[in-house]
Amino acid sequence: MSKRLYLTLFLGLTILLFGYYLAYLLTDFWATRICQIASILLSGFFIIGFNYKALPKKKHDISVRLSLVVPIIIGICGLIILNHFIPYMLYNFLDWEWQDTIQPKEENPVRFIFLLVVWVFLEEIYFRRVIAQKIFNAKGFSKALWISALIFSISHWFSTDGLLYIFLGGLALGYVYLQTRSVWMSILAHLTYNLLIFYISPKITEQISNFNSTLSVLGFMVLGFLMLLIMVFLLKYLTKDEILKEKPVANNTYSK
């Protein structure tokens, strides 16, 4: 079962990366986006055996509640802090000139929002609802969290974003999904992250060079980790009465 699971995930990731590589070679904006969307759909359908009704089985699904939204936003803000101050610390340590790699730009905000929503939805269905859930059913929580985050990171190989940012994001989003068992919560978390990166990141970039001392940078990094830990603790506490101590599904069967 393990070999078949990992082989399926590997082949699915290969399909995705090949499609993304073709999209990377294209110069037309819409042709690139269509190729990317087709790649993630093809890879996703391959993983579930080309049966759209055969999503991995799921025992629990917690509805969207404000009490869950608040800790998720706290954790996402902590993730954004880390994604700025970890590389800034590295640049200072190596005595390099600071160049922020998180510089979102979009001249057409309507097009940006539309594509953002579509892309976040597709990625969460693919990486969390399909991949993370499939691994969880066979291997349990921890392996589902780490392996899905690794796949999420590798899939962004042709992205301009750093793989470390993506891996940390994959861990955060994977935890939100696996703890709440709700893809809508992970979609909300992902959408919040992308919107804050787009609108807040340039302001952080403008101010980050003012933090010249190692102690102040470490302070922000600690703050970021603490905010993520707060999210983890609160989500676990708020869902403890609704999520039973489940054992991984014994087999990898599927249901609607």
Side-chain angles (χ1 to χ4, degrees):
M1 181 63 68
S2 295
K3 291 182 179 180
R4 182 178 180 182
L5 170 64
Y6 293 136
L7 178 61
T8 299
L9 294 176
F10 173 77
L11 292 177
L13 180 60
T14 301
I15 293 171
L16 186 67
L17 286 175
F18 180 74
Y20 281 4
Y21 175 71
L22 294 179
Y24 177 77
L25 298 177
L26 298 174
T27 57
D28 180 75
F29 177 86
W30 286 109
T32 299
R33 298 303 178 272
I34 292 172
C35 185
Q36 290 173 330
I37 291 173
S39 300
I40 198 170
L41 289 174
L42 179 61
S43 178
F45 274 110
F46 171 81
I47 291 175
I48 63 174
F50 294 97
N51 182 0
Y52 74 94
K53 296 181 179 180
L55 288 173
K57 294 177 67 174
K58 187 170 58 165
K59 290 185 178 180
H60 297 283
D61 193 354
I62 297 176
S63 60
V64 176
R65 303 197 313 263
L66 181 60
S67 60
L68 298 178
V69 172
V70 173
I72 287 174
I73 292 178
I74 293 174
I76 292 303
C77 289
L79 180 64
I80 290 174
I81 291 173
L82 288 175
N83 283 350
H84 282 83
F85 281 91
I86 288 178
Y88 185 63
M89 169 65 82
L90 180 62
Y91 272 73
N92 285 345
F93 179 77
L94 297 175
D95 199 24
W96 293 347
E97 182 180 356
W98 169 246
Q99 293 180 346
D100 187 16
T101 57
I102 307 177
Q103 298 176 336
K105 296 178 180 178
E106 177 57 61
E107 297 178 355
N108 188 329
V110 175
R111 182 178 71 179
F112 167 74
I113 295 297
F114 171 75
L115 289 175
L116 176 64
V117 172
V118 171
W119 197 246
V120 165
F121 178 81
L122 288 175
E123 284 201 331
E124 288 309 305
I125 294 295
Y126 178 80
F127 291 106
R128 257 61 70 174
R129 183 62 184 90
V130 174
I131 291 179
Q133 186 68 49
K134 187 178 181 72
I135 301 171
F136 174 79
N137 289 352
K139 298 296 181 179
F141 191 103
S142 296
K143 288 187 177 181
L145 178 64
W146 290 96
I147 295 175
S148 65
L150 179 61
I151 293 174
F152 184 62
S153 178
I154 295 174
S155 71
H156 287 75
W157 186 268
F158 300 105
S159 170
T160 57
D161 299 326
L163 295 184
L164 175 61
Y165 308 146
I166 306 300
F167 181 72
L168 291 176
L171 287 176
L173 295 171
Y175 184 84
V176 169
Y177 172 76
L178 291 168
Q179 187 62 38
T180 66
R181 308 295 197 269
S182 173
V183 72
W184 296 110
M185 299 306 299
S186 63
I187 287 174
L188 174 65
H190 198 161
L191 193 59
T192 300
Y193 176 83
N194 284 2
L195 288 173
L196 289 178
I197 280 290
F198 184 77
Y199 290 108
I200 303 299
S201 179
K203 299 183 183 301
I204 297 178
T205 301
E206 293 173 1
Q207 301 297 324
I208 197 171
S209 59
N210 295 328
F211 300 95
N212 296 318
S213 70
T214 301
L215 186 61
S216 63
V217 176
L218 282 174
F220 274 98
M221 291 172 60
V222 171
L223 175 63
F225 277 115
L226 285 176
M227 293 173 76
L228 282 175
L229 288 176
I230 288 172
M231 180 190 76
V232 169
F233 173 80
L234 288 178
L235 287 182
K236 183 175 294 187
Y237 175 78
L238 292 170
T239 58
K240 66 179 181 179
D241 294 331
E242 297 180 77
I243 297 182
L244 303 175
K245 294 180 179 180
E246 1 173 87
K247 296 180 180 180
V249 177
N251 54 56
N252 207 27
T253 56
Y254 301 100
S255 67
K256 293 185 180 181

